[in-house]
Amino acid sequence: MTPRELWERYKGLLCDDPGLGVRLDLSRAGLGDEALAQREVAAQAALDAMAALEGGAIANPDENRMVGHYWLRAAGMAPTPEIAGAIRDTQARVFDFASRVHDGRVRPPSAERFRRVLVVGIGGSALGPQLLADALGGPGDRLSPHFLDNTDPDGIDRGLGALGEGLGETLVVVISKSGGTAETRNGLVEAAAAYRARGLDFGAHAVAITREGSVLDRQAREQGFLARLPMWDWVGGRTSVTSAVGLLPAALQGIDVGALLAGAAAMDEATRRRETRRNPAALLALAWHALGEGRGSKAMVVLPYKDRLLLFSRYLQQLVMESIGKERDLAGRVVHQGLTVYGNKGSTDQHAFVQQLRDGTPDFFVTFVRVLRDREGASLEVEPGATSGDFLDGFLLGTRRALFESGRPSVTITIGDLTPRSLGMLIALYERTVGLYASLIGINAYHQPGVEAGKKAAASILELQRRVVAALLERGVAGGTCEELARATGAPDEAETVFHLLERLAANPDRGVAKRPGPSPWEAVYSAR
Amino acid sequence: MTPRELWERYKGLLCDDPGLGVRLDLSRAGLGDEALAQREVAAQAALDAMAALEGGAIANPDENRMVGHYWLRAAGMAPTPEIAGAIRDTQARVFDFASRVHDGRVRPPSAERFRRVLVVGIGGSALGPQLLADALGGPGDRLSPHFLDNTDPDGIDRGLGALGEGLGETLVVVISKSGGTAETRNGLVEAAAAYRARGLDFGAHAVAITREGSVLDRQAREQGFLARLPMWDWVGGRTSVTSAVGLLPAALQGIDVGALLAGAAAMDEATRRRETRRNPAALLALAWHALGEGRGSKAMVVLPYKDRLLLFSRYLQQLVMESIGKERDLAGRVVHQGLTVYGNKGSTDQHAFVQQLRDGTPDFFVTFVRVLRDREGASLEVEPGATSGDFLDGFLLGTRRALFESGRPSVTITIGDLTPRSLGMLIALYERTVGLYASLIGINAYHQPGVEAGKKAAASILELQRRVVAALLERGVAGGTCEELARATGAPDEAETVFHLLERLAANPDRGVAKRPGPSPWEAVYSAR
């Protein structure tokens, strides 16, 4: 293709919407008119399914749930007045609570103001808030954001340690829909213990975002949390960033969440268009389908050329892979679908894995995210006539061109500036794209059976550990090898797991397990200390 | 396979070294005795090539260079006394400089002590130091670590803004082998301007790590930098973490870099063993080869269950993909090799993309990194008999089991505790594995032609921008459309790139380009302001 033909192709395929300020360029995605025409019927069916979803259909049949994250940006679309009212009421409470924290009407017992917010959550209950905090925060933050997003003891110590003497000025936002997610529950227990250890009343520093009536909700009630905000079963964790989950931490930080919601709402409108060519989510979903042959045969490498969007790649990794990575299609057939997503940021990654993208296995397509505005204020020249931003954009355009020339496809999304509004648009664009793509390949994008299975597998390991510890206590100082202890717990087949459990317990002096090494690792003798 | 057979397989394949405290478990990697036996000749040839490399062979033929990162941990192995002396001398200077900074003998002109270190670098010159800083740093840091790792103007503003009033107490370490890497040069120019703007002498706050005689080296000399430390052409960026590149920032931070080097040296010794079964790097390289059929057909998902190792996944992504992602093999044949790496941390990722790993496309293998020691100090019980760490490890073991049961392979690396020594071992293990694997597939792991090509592509874009701006100035207020301006610059075929450049210039008010919208995006008229 000559440069002029490519320019015509660019113009012909560009999905531009001056009202949105978002441009989607598929000219390097290997998606021609035929590929679009071939998929038009499927695209219309996907848009039908999406309209039904927005209308309140049970779009998540496995869990018998509606899927309502779009209503969060347009309460009037909700299928019942109760849901519309709950959305409006919750948003009003988020705004109100944040403003009362900011002006000191809501304050900690032992300090004048809350100055930090600690979010305790995992998965969708952490990555959405983290994305907003990192992409939109800055020196003017009203409260500085902190996170506990795992059940790693050392990580928890680090997170709480970073707050140090500021714990009494820290507002804790605990986020868990069910209230039963172990990592979040553990973070909550450890955080509460840290408050108690300093003589602080945890409840007077805490907010819960959870399903009404959950364990966490009850605890919040009993311990007099400052507020309780709802999570609904029609909002999934990975699409909860425009619910209280994302809005409250961001509003506390001082981010204009109204603009975020407005941006998402504007993109929602644009991505409801039935005309595929004018619907950026439909186009993007079709591009994914064409590029990956409907089975994710190419990974999506996300390269935002903007440091603030570093977490956007990881956010999309969660949104896409948790939604699309499914064993079965909606008809119950085993399909093992997936769409792998990875990436960090440009041009940094050009000095890392982009070597492989340029020269190695052609098993991917790139999504460039381009931001036209460089910075607040003026730039200095780093060499005559060129600024740091000129280089950043030059690397993007150069890499896009070089990849195309060597047959590596890419998609480019351009926004004018990174703001709450434009980030809201990007989030909404990908939420919709994932939903439409799921329809194209016939899967349920809104459940996560593998995550549930992972929880169960861990629970059985913990149960085995309890039995091993009991057997160890019973044997006293005599102790036993892992194989002996496996037999003693009535689980002779579990010798290997018993070995792993004992090795770890023995490595932690507070756990009461002593170890005498043997001639081989598995002949060590463990006993109660 | 029954649980007992699996336990026997675990014992039979385990590569354990009590002296190292690192265990490599390949029992779930689908690597049996036959797979090892089949590859034994190739493994021995790879070990031969590695021995030649360590002996000073030109192991990077395209660049006609030796590859000497292993000498950094065993100067006595260096092929010449000059190189051995340079290594020892540089390490001594790193230790000495850090200690003089710590005790205030090296101090900034306008403050009592340096309290922060700002590393300016990209790729290997940033990710290694970042990994050490994040994995090993803590509240006791002597200097707090900061980074500029890109040419994003807003990112630079953020990075420098975070230092704020502390700039005068900040030691800047600029890292660039050639001195000509644009991102690093730009970061340096912007940082130096920030010092000047506060009336501070930049050179009195700066250290350069670069090749002797480079542009950066000359600048450091002229501006009286506090120190200049060498980078050698026989150390690549992605394997430079045990050179001054990684050691100086870490030593300044207060990390025990001696222990890091000792750990790497110990792993180097273990991975020189000719007996494949006792050499963890050889085993790991063979596992990669068997799992990916010698062509990287499965991605490597890195899941360290330890928050501090979050960057380890990204570090390995750079190390592996930049080394293995190559167009040609050593014989010059087009092979398009690669080994895709991604991941963040467990169990957080279990609430994100692990859904796809469990249920979706089986196009990957997992590398679990397990750390036995939970935390400093004792743990509280988050529920009867269970700690946060029990859950973390339970999620790891449960996920490992569940993936295996559904035919998804994994490798597990276990260390006792995360320390400078054990991190040094992990780094050395993967450096060696990458080198051996490259031999198995017959490629040069030590060059990065695609990165160079990317720099050239960007340079031509910047050159075009200069011509466009010149044409724009010539036309004055009349201006022109992107197509007119492309013609005016004598590059009518470049209308699309000219369009992209003008759009961005117009979005930045300080760049002197005004835009009048047209009926379509490409009919806008641009003029000099």
Side-chain angles (χ1 to χ4, degrees):
Chain A
M1 197 172 286
T2 68
R4 282 172 202 236
E5 285 167 347
L6 203 48
W7 176 219
E8 292 310 315
R9 181 195 184 85
Y10 174 84
K11 294 196 271 190
L13 270 173
L14 185 70
C15 184
D16 178 62
D17 191 322
L20 291 180
V22 175
R23 277 185 186 153
L24 173 65
D25 159 30
L26 297 172
S27 62
R28 268 64 170 184
L31 184 80
D33 293 330
E34 332 73 65
L36 285 176
Q38 274 169 20
R39 291 172 174 83
E40 182 57 23
V41 173
Q44 290 303 321
L47 289 165
D48 285 342
M50 184 58 81
L53 178 152
E54 290 202 294
I58 301 297
N60 178 356
D62 303 60
E63 301 181 330
N64 195 32
R65 286 178 180 175
M66 298 187 290
V67 174
H69 49 275
Y70 303 108
W71 309 331
L72 300 170
R73 287 91 74 148
M77 289 191 68
T80 70
E82 290 71 30
I83 291 180
I87 292 167
R88 292 195 184 99
D89 173 61
T90 301
Q91 287 175 0
R93 287 174 57 209
V94 164
F95 292 128
D96 177 62
F97 184 80
S99 107
R100 288 189 295 133
V101 168
H102 291 161
D103 66 18
R105 279 176 292 158
V106 172
R107 46 166 281 195
S110 58
E112 203 182 315
R113 288 282 169 91
F114 282 115
R115 301 194 188 278
R116 295 170 186 79
V117 53
L118 172 68
V119 175
V120 183
I122 195 166
S125 301
L127 205 39
Q130 283 168 328
L131 170 66
L132 301 188
D134 195 43
L136 302 173
D141 288 347
R142 305 294 297 262
L143 278 76
S144 68
H146 298 257
F147 295 89
L148 293 186
D149 70 347
N150 199 1
T151 181
D152 170 30
D154 177 64
I156 293 170
D157 288 344
R158 270 187 130 179
L160 294 174
L163 296 166
E165 297 305 313
L167 212 58
E169 301 177 338
T170 303
L171 179 66
V172 182
V173 179
V174 187
I175 309 177
S176 171
K177 184 147 74 177
S178 69
T181 302
E183 293 91 335
T184 304
R185 193 275 316 265
N186 297 352
L188 165 61
V189 170
E190 300 239 15
Y195 277 79
R196 270 200 309 280
R198 288 175 188 264
L200 297 167
D201 172 15
F202 181 68
H205 299 77
V207 174
I209 305 180
T210 186
R211 213 192 51 229
E212 218 179 303
S214 75
V215 188
L216 174 58
D217 193 48
R218 285 203 301 278
Q219 179 182 351
R221 227 182 265 263
E222 286 159 15
Q223 300 185 0
F225 278 25
L226 292 166
R228 293 175 299 115
L229 288 160
M231 282 181 88
W232 302 290
D233 67 6
W234 41 268
V235 175
R238 58 189 173 276
T239 54
S240 66
V241 67
T242 56
S243 77
V245 171
L247 298 183
L248 182 68
L252 287 166
Q253 194 178 342
I255 291 165
D256 182 354
V257 294
L260 181 90
L261 287 169
M267 181 58 79
D268 287 341
E269 277 192 42
T271 53
R272 279 185 199 113
R273 290 177 190 143
R274 303 298 306 220
E275 195 187 334
T276 316
R277 293 279 188 145
R278 294 184 57 242
N279 179 332
L283 279 176
L284 202 45
L286 293 173
W288 291 3
H289 196 265
L291 284 162
E293 302 162 286
R295 52 190 174 82
S297 64
K298 287 194 191 316
M300 175 161 87
V301 180
V302 180
L303 286 182
Y305 279 62
K306 187 59 102 181
D307 288 0
R308 285 179 183 271
L309 286 175
L310 174 67
L311 284 181
F312 190 57
S313 335
R314 203 170 139 200
Y315 178 83
L316 290 186
Q317 184 181 61
Q318 170 178 281
L319 175 66
V320 175
M321 292 179 77
E322 198 171 24
S323 300
I324 302 302
K326 297 291 157 70
E327 183 185 18
R328 291 170 187 275
D329 66 11
L330 283 165
R333 286 180 297 245
V334 172
V335 290
H336 293 305
Q337 274 286 357
L339 177 53
T340 298
V341 178
Y342 66 92
N344 304 292
K345 65 177 183 182
S347 81
T348 304
D349 284 340
Q350 290 191 210
H351 296 262
F353 65 79
V354 173
Q355 163 64 36
Q356 176 167 321
L357 302 192
R358 293 185 57 114
D359 288 355
T361 339
D363 56 0
F364 67 92
F365 67 97
V366 169
T367 299
F368 292 105
V369 183
R370 185 170 180 243
V371 183
L372 296 179
R373 181 75 187 266
D374 285 351
R375 70 189 345 155
E376 291 293 309
S379 282
L380 55 81
E381 293 193 349
V382 292
E383 60 183 53
T387 65
S388 293
D390 293 343
F391 276 88
L392 185 71
D393 199 51
F395 286 123
L396 187 161
L397 295 174
T399 303
R400 171 175 169 274
R401 170 183 293 189
L403 288 177
F404 180 72
E405 287 171 355
S406 64
R408 272 84 170 157
S410 68
V411 165
T412 303
I413 294 171
T414 302
I415 56 175
D417 196 2
L418 182 62
T419 60
R421 181 179 161 83
S422 66
L423 185 59
M425 287 194 271
L426 289 178
I427 289 168
L429 171 63
Y430 276 95
E431 286 179 350
R432 185 83 56 162
T433 302
V434 165
L436 294 173
Y437 179 73
S439 283
L440 292 177
I441 61 171
I443 59 148
N444 178 354
Y446 307 106
H447 65 162
Q448 51 285 325
V451 175
E452 301 310 318
K455 291 178 188 176
K456 279 182 199 145
S460 80
I461 302 270
L462 280 172
E463 176 50 31
L464 179 61
Q465 179 177 306
R466 286 196 182 90
R467 284 155 57 199
V468 171
V469 170
L472 211 57
L473 287 171
E474 201 167 298
R475 287 179 160 232
V477 287
T481 66
C482 60
E483 294 183 353
E484 289 163 359
L485 287 159
R487 282 195 295 275
T489 61
D493 279 355
E494 291 283 11
E496 185 190 335
T497 304
V498 170
F499 169 68
H500 296 314
L501 292 171
L502 287 165
E503 285 290 284
R504 185 178 144 269
L505 290 170
N508 288 281
D510 61 317
R511 303 308 297 279
V513 176
K515 170 183 164 184
R516 288 196 306 277
S520 72
W522 36 88
E523 289 165 287
V525 174
Y526 309 90
S527 58
R529 267 181 211 268
Chain B
M1 197 172 285
T2 68
R4 281 171 202 238
E5 285 167 347
L6 203 48
W7 175 220
E8 291 311 314
R9 180 194 184 87
Y10 174 84
K11 293 196 272 189
L13 269 174
L14 186 69
C15 184
D16 178 62
D17 191 323
L20 290 180
V22 175
R23 278 184 186 153
L24 173 65
D25 159 31
L26 296 173
S27 62
R28 267 66 171 182
L31 185 79
D33 293 331
E34 332 73 63
L36 284 176
Q38 272 169 21
R39 290 173 174 83
E40 182 59 22
V41 173
Q44 290 302 321
L47 289 165
D48 285 342
M50 185 58 80
L53 177 152
E54 290 202 293
I58 301 296
N60 177 358
D62 302 60
E63 301 181 332
N64 194 32
R65 286 177 179 176
M66 299 187 292
V67 174
H69 49 274
Y70 303 108
W71 310 330
L72 300 169
R73 287 92 73 146
M77 289 191 68
T80 70
E82 291 71 29
I83 290 181
I87 292 168
R88 291 196 184 99
D89 173 61
T90 301
Q91 286 176 0
R93 288 175 57 210
V94 164
F95 291 129
D96 176 62
F97 185 80
S99 106
R100 288 190 295 133
V101 168
H102 291 161
D103 67 18
R105 278 175 293 158
V106 172
R107 45 166 281 195
S110 59
E112 204 183 314
R113 289 281 169 93
F114 282 116
R115 300 193 188 277
R116 295 170 186 80
V117 53
L118 173 67
V119 176
V120 184
I122 195 166
S125 301
L127 205 38
Q130 283 167 328
L131 170 66
L132 301 188
D134 195 42
L136 302 173
D141 288 347
R142 304 294 296 263
L143 279 75
S144 67
H146 298 257
F147 295 90
L148 293 186
D149 70 347
N150 198 3
T151 181
D152 170 30
D154 177 64
I156 293 171
D157 288 344
R158 270 188 129 180
L160 295 174
L163 296 165
E165 296 306 313
L167 211 59
E169 303 178 335
T170 303
L171 179 66
V172 182
V173 179
V174 187
I175 308 178
S176 171
K177 184 147 75 178
S178 69
T181 302
E183 293 92 333
T184 304
R185 192 273 318 265
N186 297 351
L188 165 61
V189 170
E190 299 240 14
Y195 277 80
R196 272 201 309 280
R198 288 174 187 264
L200 298 166
D201 172 15
F202 181 67
H205 299 77
V207 174
I209 305 181
T210 185
R211 213 190 52 229
E212 218 179 304
S214 75
V215 187
L216 174 57
D217 192 48
R218 286 203 301 279
Q219 179 182 351
R221 229 182 265 265
E222 287 160 13
Q223 300 186 2
F225 279 26
L226 292 166
R228 293 176 299 116
L229 287 159
M231 282 181 89
W232 301 290
D233 66 6
W234 41 267
V235 176
R238 58 189 172 277
T239 53
S240 66
V241 67
T242 55
S243 77
V245 171
L247 298 183
L248 182 68
L252 287 166
Q253 193 179 342
I255 291 166
D256 182 354
V257 295
L260 182 90
L261 287 169
M267 181 57 78
D268 288 342
E269 278 192 41
T271 53
R272 280 184 198 112
R273 290 178 189 142
R274 302 299 307 221
E275 196 187 332
T276 317
R277 294 280 188 144
R278 293 183 58 242
N279 179 331
L283 278 175
L284 203 44
L286 292 173
W288 291 4
H289 196 266
L291 285 163
E293 302 162 287
R295 51 189 176 83
S297 63
K298 286 195 193 314
M300 175 161 86
V301 179
V302 180
L303 286 182
Y305 278 63
K306 188 60 104 181
D307 289 0
R308 285 180 182 270
L309 287 175
L310 175 67
L311 284 182
F312 190 57
S313 337
R314 204 171 138 198
Y315 179 83
L316 290 185
Q317 184 181 60
Q318 169 178 281
L319 175 66
V320 174
M321 293 179 75
E322 198 171 25
S323 300
I324 302 302
K326 297 292 156 69
E327 183 185 16
R328 290 170 189 276
D329 66 11
L330 284 165
R333 285 179 297 244
V334 172
V335 289
H336 294 305
Q337 274 286 358
L339 177 54
T340 297
V341 178
Y342 66 93
N344 305 292
K345 66 177 183 181
S347 81
T348 304
D349 284 340
Q350 290 191 213
H351 295 262
F353 66 78
V354 173
Q355 163 64 36
Q356 177 168 320
L357 302 192
R358 292 186 59 116
D359 288 353
T361 340
D363 55 0
F364 67 92
F365 67 98
V366 168
T367 299
F368 291 105
V369 183
R370 184 170 180 244
V371 183
L372 296 179
R373 181 75 186 265
D374 286 350
R375 69 188 348 153
E376 292 292 311
S379 282
L380 55 81
E381 293 192 350
V382 292
E383 61 183 53
T387 66
S388 293
D390 293 342
F391 276 88
L392 185 70
D393 199 51
F395 285 123
L396 187 160
L397 295 174
T399 303
R400 172 174 169 274
R401 170 183 292 189
L403 288 177
F404 180 71
E405 286 172 354
S406 64
R408 273 83 171 159
S410 68
V411 165
T412 302
I413 294 171
T414 302
I415 57 176
D417 196 2
L418 182 62
T419 60
R421 180 178 162 83
S422 66
L423 185 58
M425 287 194 271
L426 289 179
I427 289 168
L429 171 64
Y430 276 95
E431 286 179 351
R432 185 82 56 163
T433 302
V434 165
L436 294 173
Y437 179 72
S439 283
L440 292 177
I441 60 171
I443 59 147
N444 178 353
Y446 307 106
H447 64 164
Q448 51 285 328
V451 175
E452 303 309 318
K455 291 178 188 176
K456 279 181 199 145
S460 79
I461 302 271
L462 280 172
E463 176 50 31
L464 180 62
Q465 179 177 307
R466 286 195 181 89
R467 284 153 58 198
V468 171
V469 170
L472 209 58
L473 287 171
E474 202 167 296
R475 290 185 157 226
V477 288
T481 66
C482 60
E483 294 184 352
E484 289 163 0
L485 287 158
R487 282 194 295 274
T489 61
D493 278 355
E494 291 282 13
E496 186 190 335
T497 304
V498 170
F499 169 67
H500 296 315
L501 292 170
L502 287 166
E503 284 289 285
R504 185 177 144 269
L505 290 170
N508 287 281
D510 61 318
R511 304 308 298 280
V513 176
K515 171 183 164 185
R516 290 196 305 277
S520 72
W522 36 87
E523 289 164 288
V525 174
Y526 309 90
S527 58
R529 265 180 211 268

